[in-house]
Amino acid sequence: MTWLWSNLDLVGELILVHLALSVPAIILSLVISVPIGWLAHRYRWSRGVLLSLCALLYAIPSLALFVALPPITGLGLRSPVNLVIALTLYGIAVIVRTAADAFDSVQPEVRQSATAMGYSAAGRFWGVELPLAGPVLLSGLRVVVVSTVSLATVGAVIGVQSLGSLFTDGFQRGIQAEIITGIVATILLALALDWLCVLTGRMLMPWSSPRRSRRPALSDVRSIEADPA
Amino acid sequence: MNLLFDAIAWILDPANWSGAGSIPQRLWEHVSITAVVLVIASAIALPTGALIGHTGRGREPAVRVSGGLRALPTLGVLTLFGIWLGIGLTAPVIALVILAVPPLLAGAYAGFESVDRRTIDAARAVGMRESQIVGKVELPLGLPIVVGGIRSATLQIIATATLAAYIADEGFGRFIFQGLRTRDYAEMLGGSILVIILALVIDGLFAIMQRLVVPAGVRASRTRELRSRPTRSRAVVGQPITEGNQE
Amino acid sequence: MIEFRGVSKRFPDGTLAVADVDIVIPPRKTTVLVGSSGSGKTTLLRMINRMVDPTSGHVLIDGTDVATREPVALRRSIGYVMQNSGLLPHRTVIDNVATVPLLRGERRRDAHARALELLDTVGLDRSLADRYPSQLSGGQQQRVGVARGLAVDPNILLMDEPFGAVDPIVRAELQQELLRLQGELGKTVVFVTHDIDEAFLLGDQVVIMRHGGKISQAASPTEILANPADDFVAEFVGADRGKRALHVTEVGGRRVVFDGDGRAAGVLAS
């Protein structure tokens, strides 16, 4: 505790730096993933390819990806942008799959009735499909929020500042309190962002109860009506 | 692109293929630490997960614990155990086990839970013992998901074992940290490429295995499933039928 | 003979599924438990093989309280057929039918030979033996379910809405098949359904249950139609709406029978 009190400024600053790394990555991965996920949902042939690519991407160890990216991006190894790109890629790998599932979860009947009512393709996407896919999308986003905040700390070993710097610094100087502070701060930050997601979700999608948004998948929606039990 | 060629040249350099800290030695370290951690973590997580999936008891705490553990920053756990236990393999092994448990646990209980409650009910009705239900019904039917959990846990271990080279002298990660210190980017990138290849190969092996463990009867239904999804109720998943149904 | 003596069941959540039931199920006859959902009929059925234990009262088979029997051994001695067949999706038809004999430790070859005979008994082609349940139609799956129920040649066969999930044409076929089987085998069949027509068709004794797990009337179909115990029974069997009141009209010199809705039901044999 004494370590924390005497280093509050440092911790506060690192939290801001950490947010500056993870929040853009989270938002970017969501924005990029939704159209890709929609493609995978809409065109069956693309689904296998896109989802396999995501699975491959996700299989790459983070540290290796951090090191392997600079030759491709032309950025320096210690550039925070390099780290943001890597985190975004991991986010995409997770959300694309959930986004595809999310669009799958919109019942065909609903989509057909929207078309029948006279929605244009674009209008139907924004007015019907996206909002209905929202709860499942949110569940994917929440996974990404937690993993991104945690992964961002890894950048510290190659010299990108974040809450992870508390781990490397604490390890080198043998200060246990510093490492524990880092762990606690990282978890709290993840929980705070997660909570923010839930709150935003509730505001934007008041029709979805928090219980339903937990589990995605098509079978969900159908079986609840179909099963007599 | 020059950087990439340098890295490939570094990988192919015969000097890196023999002696202390050679590529084969690091590969062996990386694979064996992954295997050891996987075995220990599986011994803890799989029976626990099976029990939770079978009985439905303790599901909420398990979800919370495995979810909470997922938020743990791996580097933080590694360095913490590093200063507690010093340089050596004990610290990374313990840290890696802790980090591998959540995906294994989640895969195990999700696998056992995924089995249609009506199938289990029927197995009980014809006179299977609980142990027989676990072994002859739930395990074969839930195995693909359990293996899926083992797959993601293994990838996680491989990735974290790379990072663990920060606190211990083991695995491909050493090349990355060595290169970082000596400003030898070819070595760093070479090490990274080796880890990526290792991860993708192992992932591919698991993908094949996951396909092989799908029971034939279930595979046969896959083609139909596209048209008529099974009417499994999510509402009853996780609630064991211990008292019989209530109509 | 199966006897229920003052049997009640209250589930942990407080619902009273079965309330003080006394009933005797005669041997070698078909007894049908019929009622709307929530009437406790399935719970009553499941007490016979100890899938559910009564909160109070006793269930006796041939004078022995089932509570004294080990549940697993008891279940293996009683055939059970359920809705959606309850087959094991990862096992072939033949292995599904042979499940219980194999559990009992019979030799695989004997169990399989017997299972093939059972496929004949329930009217399934032997060529289906190596298929998986998912490769069969709903009606075929249900037949496999019946074959599995008969595999250990049990004296008692419990059937829990076995034909509830198949289409009406297949259901009619399966009902006739069951009548034929019962004529040949003479098991003690306890059958649960919510379909009163099915109950009257199959049951030697029909037990009408109402919400809250009480028995309204237990008698032969004839007796129930002739003397419904109360208004609930009359309404349930449709007697009050005149649905079952038939009348005869002469049409072109033949006596045609019409049902309560005025639809032609048949011609009187002279």
Side-chain angles (χ1 to χ4, degrees):
Chain A
M1 271 306 174
T2 35
W3 184 89
L4 178 57
W5 290 128
S6 44
N7 293 278
L8 262 184
D9 285 354
L10 173 69
V11 175
E13 193 193 314
L14 287 177
I15 286 177
L16 291 180
V17 173
H18 203 96
L19 278 173
L21 286 173
S22 37
V23 172
I26 292 165
I27 292 172
L28 274 174
S29 52
L30 179 67
V31 171
I32 297 170
S33 300
V34 169
I36 301 178
W38 187 81
L39 271 181
H41 150 79
R42 184 68 184 74
Y43 303 102
R44 279 228 97 74
W45 55 267
S46 70
R47 191 187 182 88
V49 180
L50 289 172
L51 296 189
S52 310
L53 276 178
C54 288
L56 281 185
L57 189 58
Y58 197 69
I60 297 175
S62 52
L63 182 58
L65 185 64
F66 294 163
V67 175
L69 266 183
I72 301 166
T73 58
L75 294 161
L77 184 61
R78 287 179 176 77
S79 158
V81 181
N82 183 44
L83 194 69
V84 171
I85 292 174
L87 293 175
T88 307
L89 287 174
Y90 281 121
I92 291 172
V94 175
I95 307 184
V96 165
R97 171 167 284 278
T98 352
D101 284 344
F103 287 118
D104 285 348
S105 77
V106 180
Q107 283 168 291
E109 297 81 20
V110 173
R111 192 173 296 124
Q112 278 158 21
S113 71
T115 315
M117 279 186 292
Y119 271 100
S120 66
R124 198 183 62 191
F125 176 81
W126 292 106
V128 179
E129 294 180 42
L130 188 60
L132 286 182
V136 180
L137 263 178
L138 179 68
S139 70
L141 183 67
R142 292 180 59 190
V143 172
V144 168
V145 164
V146 173
S147 68
T148 303
V149 170
S150 168
L151 264 181
T153 60
V154 174
V157 296
I158 50 168
V160 181
Q161 271 225 325
S162 69
L163 282 171
S165 309
L166 297 177
F167 304 147
T168 48
D169 191 62
F171 178 70
Q172 273 150 20
R173 292 161 50 191
I175 308 171
Q176 181 185 307
E178 187 173 2
I179 297 177
I180 293 175
T181 306
I183 294 176
V184 172
T186 311
I187 292 175
L188 288 181
L189 194 62
L191 290 181
L193 288 181
D194 180 50
W195 178 74
L196 205 66
C197 280
V198 175
L199 217 62
T200 316
R202 248 178 240 169
M203 243 162 55
L204 293 177
M205 303 177 286
W207 64 88
S208 75
S209 71
R211 294 209 89 194
R212 282 296 324 274
S213 63
R214 256 191 351 196
R215 282 295 281 269
L218 179 63
S219 47
D220 233 350
V221 183
R222 295 254 175 94
S223 61
I224 279 167
E225 304 162 341
D227 207 282
Chain B
M1 275 300 117
N2 276 340
L3 296 167
L4 197 60
F5 285 129
D6 291 348
I8 291 169
W10 176 86
I11 293 175
L12 297 178
D13 186 350
N16 294 325
W17 283 83
S18 59
S22 64
I23 292 174
Q25 186 205 325
R26 294 301 185 199
L27 172 67
W28 166 246
E29 288 168 1
H30 211 117
V31 170
S32 55
I33 198 170
T34 302
V36 166
V37 169
L38 189 63
V39 167
I40 299 174
S42 297
I44 299 168
L46 295 186
T48 315
L51 199 69
I52 292 166
H54 176 72
T55 62
R57 295 203 185 106
R59 191 178 180 282
E60 281 306 310
V63 170
R64 220 163 291 151
V65 166
S66 59
L69 281 178
R70 256 180 239 245
L72 267 184
T74 52
L75 184 63
V77 179
L78 282 170
T79 48
L80 191 60
F81 278 95
I83 59 168
W84 280 346
L85 302 171
I87 291 174
L89 285 178
T90 325
V93 166
I94 294 177
L96 285 167
V97 166
I98 291 173
L99 297 166
V101 161
L104 286 170
L105 192 65
Y109 70 65
F112 274 71
E113 256 180 22
S114 72
V115 181
D116 194 330
R117 292 293 117 179
R118 288 182 309 217
T119 304
I120 295 167
D121 188 45
R124 192 170 287 129
V126 301
M128 282 199 182
R129 300 182 188 288
E130 294 307 300
S131 59
Q132 287 169 327
I133 293 174
V134 171
K136 296 188 175 187
V137 180
E138 290 178 315
L139 185 63
L141 288 174
L143 201 55
I145 297 179
V146 178
V147 173
I150 300 176
R151 179 182 178 179
S152 49
T154 309
L155 290 175
Q156 151 113 47
I157 298 169
I158 292 174
T160 316
T162 317
L163 195 56
Y166 185 72
I167 61 161
D169 182 24
E170 58 76 37
F172 282 148
R174 277 321 302 162
F175 295 131
I176 297 176
F177 291 111
Q178 246 163 193
L180 192 67
R181 202 173 38 224
T182 58
R183 296 180 181 277
D184 181 352
Y185 189 71
E187 183 176 4
M188 286 182 80
L189 190 54
S192 298
I193 291 170
L194 289 172
V195 175
I196 292 171
I197 293 171
L198 177 65
L200 294 184
V201 167
I202 301 270
D203 191 41
L205 290 178
F206 268 105
I208 294 168
M209 202 196 307
Q210 229 171 335
R211 226 162 258 210
L212 291 181
V213 298
V214 177
V218 179
R219 210 176 306 149
S221 69
R222 283 280 161 86
T223 40
R224 285 187 171 214
E225 228 172 274
L226 291 176
R227 280 184 297 133
S228 58
R229 292 272 183 156
T231 56
R232 178 163 64 83
S233 164
R234 273 287 155 73
V236 284
V237 165
Q239 294 169 6
I241 302 172
T242 49
E243 280 278 31
N245 72 14
Q246 302 173 29
E247 298 204 11
Chain C
M1 188 173 69
I2 305 166
E3 277 176 88
F4 286 84
R5 287 194 191 154
V7 169
S8 298
K9 176 66 189 181
R10 190 179 286 281
F11 282 109
D13 66 358
T15 40
L16 188 63
V18 171
D20 197 23
V21 161
D22 285 290
I23 189 157
V24 173
I25 292 171
R28 300 190 162 273
K29 300 267 192 252
T30 302
T31 296
V32 180
L33 309 175
V34 62
S36 45
S37 42
S39 61
K41 52 192 193 298
T42 295
T43 308
L44 204 58
L45 179 86
R46 285 170 159 248
M47 286 177 179
I48 299 172
N49 72 346
R50 293 198 65 187
M51 291 290 280
V52 176
D53 282 327
T55 320
S56 62
H58 301 279
V59 181
L60 288 81
I61 296 178
D62 296 332
T64 313
D65 193 334
V66 294
T68 62
R69 307 261 320 257
E70 204 265 317
V72 168
L74 178 72
R75 288 171 198 155
R76 288 180 187 179
S77 69
I78 296 177
Y80 196 100
V81 184
M82 64 199 295
Q83 195 175 0
N84 294 312
S85 74
L87 300 175
L88 302 178
H90 59 306
R91 295 200 182 172
T92 57
V93 165
I94 187 102
D95 281 329
N96 263 291
V97 175
T99 303
V100 186
L102 289 174
L103 284 176
R104 282 180 158 191
E106 270 180 43
R107 287 206 323 213
R108 199 173 181 79
R109 210 156 43 119
D110 300 345
H112 275 190
R114 166 113 181 94
L116 280 175
E117 284 170 25
L118 281 165
L119 291 186
D120 300 340
T121 311
V122 298
L124 279 175
D125 199 283
R126 288 187 174 208
S127 67
L128 298 176
D130 293 325
R131 298 254 187 108
Y132 288 100
S134 60
Q135 298 168 319
L136 303 181
S137 70
Q140 288 171 327
Q141 290 184 18
Q142 230 33 64
R143 285 171 192 260
V144 177
V146 174
R148 181 174 69 179
L150 295 170
V152 289
D153 198 15
N155 291 323
I156 300 171
L157 187 60
L158 308 179
M159 306 184 83
D160 185 3
E161 302 207 30
F163 311 144
V166 292
D167 66 66
I169 293 171
V170 176
R171 184 184 313 165
E173 210 177 285
L174 289 169
Q175 286 167 346
Q176 290 306 321
E177 196 76 16
L178 181 64
L179 285 171
R180 176 184 69 79
L181 268 176
Q182 176 65 346
E184 287 171 16
L185 304 172
K187 304 284 182 193
T188 305
V189 176
V190 188
F191 191 106
V192 163
T193 181
H194 56 257
D195 177 356
I196 187 68
D197 293 322
E198 188 170 61
F200 282 168
L201 174 68
L202 300 174
D204 298 307
Q205 173 179 245
V206 172
V207 179
I208 296 180
M209 300 191 65
R210 74 169 104 198
H211 196 81
K214 289 194 192 68
I215 290 179
S216 287
Q217 189 169 10
S220 69
T222 318
E223 173 69 17
I224 291 174
L225 279 173
N227 293 311
D230 52 28
D231 291 348
F232 173 78
V233 173
E235 191 190 344
F236 194 79
V237 302
D240 67 324
R241 282 165 296 165
K243 205 177 153 191
R244 305 223 171 241
L246 306 178
H247 60 273
V248 179
T249 310
E250 283 243 344
V251 180
R254 304 193 67 179
R255 286 185 292 168
V256 179
V257 181
F258 289 90
D259 68 12
D261 297 329
R263 288 200 192 87
V267 178
L268 274 193
S270 42

